Amino acid sequence: MEIEKASLKELSSAIKTKKISCFELANIFLKRIHEVNSILNAYIHVNEDVLNQAKQLDQNNNEKTNSKERLLFGIPLGIKDMLCTKGIPTTAASKILQNFIPPYDATVVKKIKDHGGLLLGKLNLDEFAMGSSNETSYFGVCKNPWDLTRVAGGSSGGSAAAQAAHLAAATIGTDTGGSIRQPAGFCNVVGLKPTYGRVSRFGIVAYASSLDQAGPMTNSVEDAAVMLEVISGQDPLDSTSSEKPVEKFSDNLARDLKGIKIGIIKEFHSDKIDPEVTKTFNLALENAKKLGAEIIEISIPMIEHSIPIYYLIASSEASSNLARYDGVKYGYRSEFKDLSSIDLDKFYSQTRSEGFGDEVKRRIMLGTYCLSSGYFDAYYKKACQVRRLLKNQFDEQFKSCDVILSPVTTSPAFKIGERIDDPLTMYLNDIFTVATNLAGLPGMSLPYGFSKNNLPIGVQLMAAPFQEKKMLDVANALEMTTNASKQMVTLS
Ligand code: GLN
């Protein structure tokens, strides 16, 4: 069996039938991490103990402990370093959390472990998930395995690069404004952001609480469906998690699109889109039609405002969430020779000035400004009102279509260093992805083609809230019309 090409279901059945042991499988991935991680910088912490944990699972590999319900028994996974992992450092790629070791697991991590999944380590990201290129990480940029001079995307750059380079069987990312889908598109992997509330946020480092969701990054649509089954569900520890029952997302995935209406958003037409991205998108549309789908044009006028609304809301929530990093309870504290002679303001400001990077500080300042009295109504409140209008317009359009298809980004992966000094250009990169977070919808990125210089190009699907099954069905059928996700990266 070629491990790199095997699906999660195939790996799982190979383990259950003892064609391969948990130890052997973990060892294959761990070895590969040791060989290539120094090139990519995808993992920022490797869990060397994974082999012992795999050995223990091997001892328990019998029918009783390894029932059908344990979907990830012995399967080695990588987790974005934004999710708390008990006893394993969790840094959010920030100096301020450099030495933080959580005493508990995020619910997503707990669910993975309950299903028998193994943790290979923690994956690189933009600091506090703020960024689109992984360049704001305190631990350095993560490179794109398809072209080492380019970014892997962000903020879940490490999760995408590790998945593309086969440094895990599947990975977990988080998505507040596109952070799963954009790097997935840049690295040729499937990336799925669930409906807000589908997956518990408990134990995920909070960036913008009304937008954050965790989701899978995988080799295939079916694998994404399996992972979503594992991590979804109501959680008493997250009051915003939904009670809706978790579907068997990976059962009977569709193979055609008969009777499916696909919406394309009028406002997304633009001559600023790279022609190769447009070509890939048009190809996906043509193939969808061949599979029986009907294509209709829809209009969501408010979508034009999604970048400013997103950056106002996300920064405001971030400024509030990040207030907890004050050097008192946990995390980095500036070195003070004599604490008794330092006033509290100086204690906080020196610690925070040294602990946070530039992009995080920029957002804290913008967010604090938006929330301050006198400006709250004009900025934060207004942004929330426009957000509601945007959501209403999506709801209206989903009465006439099943899913929406769009590009993921305006161009393939850009060069490292190309945009980092120009925050506005970087923010505009999220033009196709932020609206789904603002409206709370599920969205996913599907590998669909390559540019002339061999850079991956994805397409994005969006669906109405809790319509993940429908979205995955469409993605599965579309996946059969391309061999993009079967292309293997070769790292020199
Ligand atoms: N690029 C966006 C930002 O910088 C999205 C990040 C995310 O989804 N975590 O906020």
Side-chain angles (χ1 to χ4, degrees):
M1 177 169 60
E2 267 186 275
I3 300 296
E4 287 91 349
K5 290 188 180 153
S7 69
L8 291 179
K9 286 189 176 178
E10 283 163 353
L11 287 177
S12 171
S13 104
I15 288 173
K16 284 173 189 169
T17 53
K18 305 205 174 162
K19 287 201 185 82
I20 188 166
S21 69
C22 302
F23 180 86
E24 283 165 327
L25 188 61
N27 202 25
I28 290 172
F29 282 109
L30 195 61
K31 261 186 148 167
R32 206 166 146 77
I33 293 172
H34 288 150
E35 273 163 30
V36 303
N37 193 51
S38 57
I39 305 174
L40 294 174
N41 198 24
Y43 280 90
I44 52 182
H45 179 86
V46 179
N47 176 25
E48 303 289 345
D49 200 38
V50 68
L51 293 181
N52 288 327
Q53 292 156 5
K55 262 188 208 157
Q56 270 175 17
L57 281 187
D58 279 326
Q59 282 161 14
N60 286 325
N61 190 0
N62 56 50
E63 260 163 47
K64 197 161 148 259
T65 52
N66 186 7
S67 71
K68 212 176 156 217
E69 297 313 313
R70 296 186 86 184
L71 297 176
L72 299 175
F73 191 88
I75 297 189
L77 307 158
I79 309 282
K80 184 178 184 179
D81 206 17
M82 195 70 169
L83 286 88
C84 284
T85 40
K86 188 175 176 180
I88 296 178
T90 298
T91 67
S94 181
K95 179 177 176 184
I96 215 153
L97 281 176
Q98 196 180 0
N99 298 316
F100 177 56
I101 301 183
Y104 64 94
D105 279 325
T107 298
V108 168
V109 174
K110 183 177 179 302
K111 280 176 178 282
I112 285 173
K113 286 184 179 171
D114 289 347
H115 274 271
L118 290 165
L119 263 47
L120 286 163
K122 304 300 290 291
L123 294 158
N124 207 349
L125 65 149
D126 281 293
E127 185 180 0
F128 282 102
M130 297 177 192
S132 308
S133 64
N134 211 130
E135 290 170 287
T136 70
S137 167
Y138 178 63
F139 302 100
V141 66
C142 169
K143 294 181 181 160
N144 190 315
W146 293 90
D147 177 345
L148 298 173
T149 67
R150 291 178 190 267
V151 301
S155 64
S156 313
S159 304
Q163 189 57 31
H166 305 289
L167 303 185
T171 61
I172 292 288
T174 63
D175 191 313
T176 304
S179 279
I180 289 177
R181 291 158 289 154
Q182 184 255 29
F186 281 1
C187 292
N188 201 45
V189 302
V190 175
L192 188 150
K193 179 204 97 71
T195 307
Y196 185 78
R198 181 64 299 178
V199 172
S200 167
R201 289 181 296 110
F202 177 75
I204 299 176
V205 176
Y207 162 16
S209 307
S210 76
L211 301 159
D212 299 339
Q213 272 289 288
M217 303 180 77
T218 57
N219 294 338
S220 70
V221 174
E222 184 196 71
D223 283 2
V226 171
M227 290 298 292
L228 190 64
E229 256 167 68
V230 169
I231 64 173
S232 293
Q234 206 271 333
D235 178 10
L237 297 170
D238 173 5
S239 61
T240 63
S241 66
S242 167
E243 282 173 0
K244 278 207 181 353
V246 178
E247 292 163 77
K248 294 269 176 207
F249 298 112
S250 66
D251 281 2
N252 306 317
L253 284 163
R255 305 176 74 83
D256 68 51
L257 296 175
K258 288 194 193 90
I260 294 289
K261 285 196 181 129
I262 298 182
I264 50 169
I265 302 176
K266 193 172 126 206
E267 289 75 15
F268 276 176
H269 290 309
S270 161
D271 53 11
K272 296 203 179 70
I273 303 174
D274 183 306
E276 295 195 285
V277 170
T278 305
K279 202 173 132 197
T280 308
F281 171 66
N282 287 337
L283 180 66
L285 271 187
E286 283 313 310
N287 286 334
K289 273 192 225 160
K290 282 185 200 150
L291 288 174
E294 185 188 334
I295 312 292
I296 55 169
E297 189 174 73
I298 58 172
S299 174
I300 304 188
M302 281 296 158
I303 217 158
E304 286 180 28
H305 306 295
S306 40
I307 292 277
I309 312 173
Y310 169 79
Y311 277 95
L312 290 178
I313 293 178
S315 302
S316 301
E317 293 183 13
S319 89
S320 165
N321 274 326
L322 271 58
R324 73 190 73 177
Y325 306 105
D326 57 8
V328 178
K329 293 182 284 294
Y330 49 78
Y332 174 81
R333 175 186 295 176
S334 184
E335 272 178 42
F336 298 103
K337 283 209 179 69
D338 178 13
L339 267 184
S340 60
S341 65
I342 299 286
D343 75 81
L344 200 56
D345 267 350
K346 169 122 177 110
F347 176 90
Y348 289 151
S349 60
Q350 192 167 315
T351 294
R352 286 164 66 82
S353 301
E354 290 170 9
F356 289 131
D358 287 349
E359 183 59 30
V360 174
K361 285 182 202 161
R362 183 178 296 123
R363 307 232 186 160
I364 292 175
M365 286 190 279
L366 174 64
T368 309
Y369 179 82
C370 293
L371 293 178
S372 58
S373 80
Y375 295 104
F376 181 91
D377 284 358
Y379 294 108
Y380 184 71
K381 195 171 159 199
K382 182 63 86 192
C384 291
Q385 287 165 334
V386 183
R387 176 184 187 176
R388 164 54 67 174
L389 296 178
L390 175 71
K391 179 173 167 31
N392 291 350
Q393 291 184 351
F394 267 110
D395 289 348
E396 194 53 39
Q397 295 304 322
F398 277 121
K399 287 182 187 156
S400 57
C401 66
D402 297 287
V403 294
I404 295 173
L405 189 69
S406 82
V408 189
T409 50
T410 52
S411 68
F414 46 90
K415 292 261 186 197
I416 293 170
E418 194 182 296
R419 298 189 187 172
I420 190 68
D421 296 326
D422 182 356
L424 271 186
T425 312
M426 192 70 99
Y427 296 173
L428 285 172
N429 193 65
D430 303 329
I431 194 113
F432 296 134
T433 51
V434 293
T436 44
N437 301 73
L438 290 168
L441 314 172
M444 70 187 285
S445 178
L446 176 72
Y448 212 79
F450 286 85
S451 70
K452 276 191 224 78
N453 45 4
N454 207 34
L455 296 173
I457 299 175
V459 292
Q460 179 179 222
L461 284 161
M462 298 162 242
F466 298 99
Q467 294 299 314
E468 277 87 354
K469 175 71 175 129
K470 195 184 272 177
M471 183 173 78
L472 284 159
D473 277 335
V474 174
N476 192 63
L478 265 184
E479 188 181 50
M480 289 164 36
T481 63
T482 169
N483 61 7
S485 59
K486 297 192 182 68
Q487 304 295 315
M488 293 281 169
V489 73
T490 43
L491 281 174
S492 44

